[in-house]
Amino acid sequence: MKTNIPAIEGGMPVRDTFLSFHQALLGEEEEASVIQTLRSGWLTTGPKTKQFEAEFAKYAKSEHAVAVNSCTAALHLALVAAGIGKGDEVITTPMTFCATANVIVHVQAAPVFVDVDSVTLNIDVKRIEEKITSKTRAIIPVHYAGCPCEMETILDLAKKYNLVVIEDAAHATETEYHGKKVGSIGDMAAFSFYATKNLTTAEGGMLTTNSDEFAEKVRVLALHGMSKDAWKRYSPEGYQHYEVLYPGYKYNMTDIQASLGLCQLAKIEDFLKVRQRHVASYDKAFKDMDSIVRIGRIPDIKHAEHLYAIILKTELLNASRDRILSALQKENIGVSVHFQSLHLHPYYRQQFGFSEGAFPVTEYAADRILSLPLYPGLAEQDVCDVIEAVKKVIGYYSR
Ligand SMILES: Cc1ncc(COP(=O)(O)O)c(C=O)c1O
């Protein structure tokens, strides 16, 4: 029998079985495609990867797409290809996954954080210019949850100060801004195909660009810095010598990953439609709850609906976000946090001297934010269970 006492306080949970925060939706197509690749005998970068690159470039409306083994790798290669290094500064936000800033450190540049807009949690474009110095070389806007950043202002600033724009599109595979597809707006864009992303290859990423020069450089850097098409040396085209042009990286995508990616790409817009329905159900259920703030969006966009994040107004509750998070887990609902304030992680505090109060909008959100399950494999009943659990837990802890 269900009661209104949360399971964490001794009541019965809303669900008998645990609902994962995320589950990839893979079908017979993916299975057949992977098996075909395994049976072909060609496992690593090869024809499937090339096909995936071509189809993704078409989808992203971008001249070039280079498949790599993560979005982190794509972001790193973008910085290296843009010649960013020691002494340079790169602007981004602290409301992101650590990879966005880690790669800036990898090239020995300094991450310069700009606080986020309180409605979208995207970079607050009004605050970028005050952070630009003679050392600033690039901006990495993060399209949080799948909502695009205000790219018009960012591109204007980039033009004015001669900065490279590298979009962190980890959440934004389907996203459009004023009719333009993310992946064709900045100088380069980095996509993630990690297990929980809208399109998954288990691990994987893609760099898109309209620049022939960046594309060529990234392609070479992604495979040890070996001259173009070195991957073909074991193909039927026959052995060719390669030359090492840069001390590159081992970031190439395998054909096994690409065979998953091709099937997932074919389904991406159908998956989005299902998530849009789930988002509408959540929005409707939570719209009159004072202690829940839904993350907003800007007009004239296509949102990728990657995350359904809410901010809990803990001022109106007798419990912290972490208590609510644990209570939902005990109701058998998987939840997550996107993100903790990046500048307050030990490395960033110690290395760059950040402390509490540096980015108040990010810190307010990071202390209260919670992501609910949002994926195409969720049944309508699952969504109802999430809503019931949220209402039950929030109701119990309301002041
Ligand atoms: C905003 C953002 N950027 C970058 C990444 C890194 O992606 P990957 O795991 O593919 O390297 C993630 C991963 O979750 C992310 O959320």
Side-chain angles (χ1 to χ4, degrees):
M1 197 190 75
K2 289 176 182 173
T3 68
N4 282 330
I5 312 279
I8 200 170
E9 303 285 353
M12 293 293 287
V14 161
R15 281 176 70 98
D16 297 332
T17 55
F18 188 71
L19 178 68
S20 299
F21 172 69
H22 185 83
Q23 215 168 14
L25 188 55
L26 304 165
E28 285 172 10
E29 299 82 0
E30 281 85 350
E31 285 177 26
S33 181
V34 169
I35 288 170
Q36 190 198 37
T37 300
L38 297 179
R39 289 182 179 159
S40 79
W42 188 286
L43 304 183
T44 188
T45 312
K48 288 267 180 154
T49 307
K50 296 299 131 186
Q51 190 189 343
F52 185 35
E53 287 179 341
E55 292 191 15
F56 194 86
K58 204 164 136 203
Y59 178 72
K61 298 195 167 58
S62 182
E63 288 292 318
H64 307 277
V66 182
V68 287
N69 57 16
S70 69
C71 176
T72 307
L75 288 168
H76 184 203
L77 292 176
L79 290 169
V80 177
I84 291 161
K86 205 168 183 166
D88 294 336
E89 292 177 355
V90 177
I91 289 176
T92 190
T93 74
M95 178 44 85
T96 185
F97 185 59
C98 57
T100 317
N102 286 350
V103 293
I104 300 171
V105 177
H106 293 163
V107 298
Q108 299 183 57
V112 173
F113 292 129
V114 170
D115 210 349
V116 292
D117 170 72
S118 61
V119 175
T120 59
L121 303 187
N122 277 336
I123 192 163
D124 185 344
V125 290
K126 296 187 299 302
R127 295 179 161 196
I128 296 177
E129 198 160 14
E130 67 200 48
K131 293 291 182 85
I132 295 176
T133 71
S134 58
K135 295 178 182 169
T136 310
R137 297 286 313 282
I139 305 179
I140 306 185
V142 180
H143 303 304
Y144 179 84
C147 178
C149 297
E150 287 284 9
M151 292 307 291
E152 221 161 86
T153 313
I154 292 170
L155 294 178
D156 285 348
L157 287 169
K159 201 165 168 197
K160 183 169 169 191
Y161 294 98
N162 194 25
L163 310 176
V164 178
V165 177
I166 301 165
E167 294 172 77
D168 182 335
H171 301 179
T173 301
E174 305 92 329
T175 301
E176 291 176 11
Y177 171 80
H178 297 183
K180 278 199 93 177
K181 184 75 194 59
V182 159
S184 65
I185 302 172
D187 294 291
M188 287 175 266
F191 294 86
S192 175
F193 308 141
Y194 176 67
T196 60
K197 294 300 190 285
N198 292 355
L199 181 170
T200 187
T201 60
E203 297 281 357
M206 192 74 81
L207 183 142
T208 60
T209 180
N210 286 327
S211 152
D212 297 349
E213 196 189 324
F214 284 145
E216 174 68 22
K217 212 158 181 188
V218 166
R219 202 172 282 291
V220 169
L221 284 166
L223 193 62
H224 301 295
M226 299 193 301
S227 47
K228 202 173 129 201
D229 291 344
W231 63 271
K232 283 186 181 163
R233 66 197 185 284
Y234 300 117
S235 78
E237 290 176 34
Y239 182 83
Q240 310 162 17
H241 285 303
Y242 57 82
E243 290 177 300
V244 176
L245 307 175
Y246 310 98
Y249 306 89
K250 179 63 175 165
Y251 283 166
N252 56 307
M253 178 178 276
T254 69
D255 266 19
I256 302 173
Q257 292 165 304
S259 28
L260 285 174
L262 282 163
C263 298
Q264 291 268 294
L265 184 59
K267 300 175 182 178
I268 194 163
E269 291 296 321
D270 289 338
F271 283 175
L272 174 60
K273 284 192 190 106
V274 181
R275 292 198 308 279
Q276 283 167 338
R277 275 210 311 276
H278 296 332
V279 167
S281 302
Y282 284 150
D283 275 350
K284 191 168 164 220
F286 303 140
K287 78 174 183 329
D288 295 326
M289 292 178 71
D290 292 342
S291 42
I292 291 182
V293 179
R294 291 161 300 145
I295 308 300
R297 45 192 74 198
I298 55 174
D300 193 17
I301 62 150
K302 178 178 171 191
H303 197 295
E305 313 295 358
H306 174 55
L307 296 174
Y308 193 87
I310 52 175
I311 291 178
L312 303 170
K313 282 200 149 186
T314 45
E315 309 78 276
L316 305 178
L317 301 171
N318 287 313
S320 67
R321 183 272 315 277
D322 286 351
R323 181 73 182 169
I324 305 279
L325 185 152
S326 302
L328 288 170
Q329 293 276 142
K330 288 280 186 207
E331 296 300 322
N332 275 327
I333 304 295
V335 288
S336 190
V337 171
H338 299 88
F339 293 97
Q340 299 175 74
S341 298
L342 185 50
H343 63 288
L344 298 180
H345 282 278
Y347 173 80
Y348 286 92
R349 279 180 187 266
Q350 284 152 24
Q351 194 67 24
F352 299 101
F354 293 123
S355 58
E356 279 87 359
F359 303 102
V361 183
T362 295
E363 290 167 34
Y364 178 91
D367 287 346
R368 293 165 178 78
I369 208 155
L370 194 70
S371 300
L372 300 176
L374 180 64
Y375 46 96
L378 280 181
E380 302 293 334
Q381 186 57 49
D382 297 329
V383 174
C384 291
D385 291 347
V386 176
I387 291 169
E388 186 182 335
V390 169
K391 288 195 162 176
K392 175 180 165 185
V393 168
I394 296 291
Y396 181 82
Y397 290 112
S398 285
R399 281 185 202 263

